[in-house]
Amino acid sequence: MQQINLNTSIYTLTKEYPELIGVLADLGFGEIKKKALRHTVGKIMTIEKGAKAKGIPMDAVRAALRKSGFEPVAGKGEAAPSRVAQLKSYLARLGAGEDLERVRRDFAAAFEDVAASEIMEAEQAMLAEGTPLEEVQRLCDLHSALFHGATREERIAAAETAVAESVRNQKAPAEGERARHLYAMVGHPLHTLRQENRALEKLLQGAKDALNRNEGVKEYVDAIADVSIHYAKKGDLLYPHLKAAYGVSGPSNVMWTVDGELRKALRHLQGEDSAAELMPLFARMEEMIYKEENILFPVCAEHFTDADWRGIYRDMKAYPEAFGVSSARWEAGESAPKNAPDTGGRIALSGGSVKPEEISALLNTLPLEITFIDAEDTNRYFNDGPKIFHRPSMALGRSVYSCHPPKIEPVVRKMIADFKSGAKDEVTVRTEKAGRKVEVRYMAVRDGDRYLGTMETVRDLTDDEARPLRKGGTTPA
């Protein structure tokens, strides 16, 4: 009679004894017949763990094994795979076409204490290995589904408790605890973002109730459209800084893309009253709220310094209100020093000399939004003043590519590469933004043939195109 270790992975056992596949399938391990699952989840699942998950008595398991010529023993098992490897195995099961709810149940059983940082680590590992972005997004969705089945409040409470316990076990500060501490600071960026989420939840619930009563929802949808402001704050201030300053690329590569999809879907459906169209979109927005407060915000709280948060607070002032939520004053943020130009000696130029503060004032006086990206593709300068396209000061010193969503990044890379090679000197785009006609120009900055960087200018054309041309000169009317 062959001895088999109940603590050895099902993958190892079935590879050595293929006849076990039929024995275990007859016991109720139906998925064991799928090769893809044996080679993924089978590497982290044992007979004993599987029997417990499926509610199969171990006495029945041992009896069936002995009947088939195997003597079960409880020896020392194999080295457990890393938690990231385990998380990746659940994604592989989804990729193999397994039902989401079945995977969710196994995930919940094995990962009740999953921490947001581990989800981020798993996402980044898979992206580094070449896993398509769309597949990695499904892991984020799976984590969001972990606590489904309870009320929203119960899910959030359970998630925060699990995150805190998980990180305490690792002898690290609890992500959930730190995030809750920042949520309580009136005026702190996370406090404001969370208040916006509460307002969005009320609008989504109101819209769903109206749809269930077969009433129109145009006013609700118009108000929900402010989600683009909320998502812009994340896209400009949180995702890029996590990626550029701390190497946490999961949110920028995964959640940022989903934000764009939701904004686009909402624009497409404005004016619609179809529950079949709107209900799935509202559900995805609610999922994003959950992901923000249980993955993104705790990870930001864990990494960002006080100086980071002060800079983000300062930059958030440039954004309009979302859902009627006013940004409260945060005293610690008000003390943040602004980036001031050097006030040293005069700078000699070919056309004369100016002081640094004079150069700053001149550039701020121009009726343009100006960005300069140096030869190393790093954001070096934004002029001051009202902006159609927000440029957070936190982005200075960061790669220009970190400031663009994944879908746009290849376009920016190609354009700058053309500037560097000399294939192009300028690219001009005319578009609309917030009801304004806008011209965006990208220009290669050169010293002779030497490429120094790229300048981007944004000009509002709305009033210019409405104003008639004056004949015989350029004197203002």
Side-chain angles (χ1 to χ4, degrees):
M1 186 171 284
Q2 298 283 354
Q3 283 193 344
I4 59 170
N5 184 349
L6 294 177
N7 291 317
T8 297
S9 73
I10 287 176
Y11 168 80
T12 300
L13 289 176
T14 55
K15 187 176 180 181
E16 186 173 357
Y17 306 110
E19 60 270 30
L20 269 177
I21 295 173
V23 176
L24 295 175
D26 290 341
L27 274 167
F29 293 79
E31 297 87 350
I32 199 169
K33 291 184 176 181
K34 298 178 181 178
K35 182 178 179 181
L37 297 184
R38 292 198 306 274
H39 283 244
T40 52
V41 70
K43 292 182 178 180
I44 64 169
M45 184 63 67
T46 66
I47 292 176
E48 193 163 12
K49 286 168 61 178
K52 182 179 179 181
K54 292 182 174 296
I56 303 171
M58 281 306 298
D59 288 343
V61 173
R62 291 187 180 93
L65 291 172
R66 290 189 181 106
K67 185 177 178 180
S68 301
F70 296 99
E71 178 59 37
V73 297
K76 185 178 180 180
E78 302 163 306
S82 70
R83 288 171 66 83
V84 171
Q86 294 179 60
L87 287 167
K88 289 165 64 178
S89 75
Y90 290 102
L91 183 65
R93 290 173 62 183
L94 289 175
E98 191 169 348
D99 178 65
L100 172 62
E101 182 56 28
R102 181 180 298 169
V103 178
R104 187 201 69 78
R105 286 198 300 268
D106 292 346
F107 184 22
F111 281 91
E112 289 182 328
D113 63 345
V114 67
S117 58
E118 292 175 295
I119 294 292
M120 294 296 100
E121 186 181 350
E123 289 175 349
Q124 289 176 230
M126 286 183 288
L127 289 167
E129 293 169 0
T131 305
L133 177 62
E134 294 77 10
E135 289 297 305
V136 179
Q137 288 172 358
R138 298 178 72 183
L139 178 60
C140 191
D141 291 338
L142 182 59
H143 175 250
S144 179
L146 175 58
F147 293 101
H148 279 186
T151 65
R152 185 196 67 79
E153 290 79 7
E154 289 169 339
R155 293 203 316 269
I156 298 298
E160 290 181 340
T161 300
V163 167
E165 183 61 30
S166 171
V167 182
R168 274 196 295 271
N169 291 340
Q170 299 168 33
K171 296 182 173 57
E175 294 170 341
E177 293 289 346
R178 185 168 298 184
R180 285 197 296 274
H181 174 67
L182 298 181
Y183 293 157
M185 290 185 181
V186 176
H188 188 279
L190 286 187
H191 174 270
T192 301
L193 291 170
R194 204 158 180 256
Q195 291 296 107
E196 290 175 359
N197 277 343
R198 299 292 78 78
L200 174 57
E201 283 176 334
K202 290 181 181 178
L203 289 170
L204 292 171
Q205 188 60 54
K208 291 191 296 183
D209 291 345
L211 287 173
N212 288 330
R213 296 191 300 265
N214 295 318
E215 297 175 358
V217 293
K218 184 180 185 304
E219 290 186 6
Y220 282 109
V221 173
D222 288 347
I224 290 169
D226 275 4
V227 77
S228 63
I229 300 170
H230 180 81
Y231 289 171
K233 293 176 182 178
K234 291 191 297 174
D236 293 345
L237 306 176
L238 302 187
Y239 297 144
H241 196 58
L242 268 178
K243 182 177 181 179
Y246 299 101
V248 181
S249 59
S252 64
N253 287 328
V254 180
M255 296 173 72
W256 201 352
T257 299
V258 176
D259 289 346
E261 293 172 355
L262 296 179
R263 281 197 300 262
K264 182 177 180 180
L266 186 63
R267 286 196 302 270
H268 177 70
L269 292 174
Q270 280 191 294
E272 290 280 347
D273 286 327
S274 167
E277 294 276 1
L278 290 170
M279 283 295 200
L281 175 61
F282 294 161
R284 291 189 71 194
M285 287 184 172
E286 289 173 331
E287 293 290 341
M288 182 53 71
I289 292 173
Y290 175 83
K291 292 172 187 176
E292 287 176 14
E293 299 191 0
N294 292 276
I295 301 177
L296 176 63
F297 295 168
V299 169
C300 289
E302 180 68 19
H303 287 85
F304 289 179
T305 65
D306 290 342
D308 291 337
W309 286 122
R310 289 195 296 269
I312 291 168
Y313 168 79
R314 183 178 65 244
D315 287 333
M316 278 182 64
K317 292 182 177 182
Y319 295 78
E321 288 184 0
F323 316 116
V325 175
S326 299
S327 297
R329 181 182 176 88
W330 181 38
E331 291 301 330
E334 292 294 331
S335 65
K338 293 186 177 180
N339 294 328
D342 182 9
T343 55
R346 303 187 72 86
I347 299 173
L349 301 173
S350 58
S353 66
V354 290
K355 295 178 181 178
E357 63 264 33
E358 292 170 344
I359 292 178
S360 181
L362 284 169
L363 293 173
N364 293 338
T365 302
L366 293 173
L368 299 169
E369 298 173 26
I370 301 173
T371 296
F372 176 67
I373 302 145
D374 71 12
E376 303 302 321
D377 305 340
T378 300
N379 294 319
R380 289 302 178 193
Y381 173 78
F382 307 138
N383 68 334
D384 292 335
K387 297 286 194 298
I388 296 174
F389 295 93
H390 294 293
R391 291 168 178 77
S393 62
M394 294 286 289
L396 291 171
R398 290 201 309 236
S399 165
V400 65
Y401 306 120
S402 72
C403 301
H404 293 83
K407 287 186 178 180
I408 304 300
E409 182 179 330
V411 178
V412 178
R413 286 186 179 277
K414 175 66 166 58
M415 179 185 70
I416 291 180
D418 286 344
F419 287 171
K420 289 180 177 180
S421 70
K424 290 183 179 179
D425 291 318
E426 180 179 328
V427 173
T428 301
V429 177
R430 289 198 172 192
T431 185
E432 286 193 3
K433 176 77 170 178
R436 310 292 292 179
K437 295 181 180 179
V438 177
E439 178 187 79
V440 184
R441 297 177 69 188
Y442 304 91
M443 293 162 278
V445 178
R446 307 186 194 280
D447 180 10
D449 293 332
R450 184 164 65 100
Y451 173 79
L452 299 180
T454 294
M455 179 170 68
E456 174 190 1
T457 64
V458 178
R459 184 163 67 100
D460 189 338
L461 302 177
T462 309
D463 295 335
D464 289 350
E465 294 188 357
R467 185 182 298 123
L469 293 175
R470 181 182 178 89
K471 295 182 180 180
T474 58
T475 305

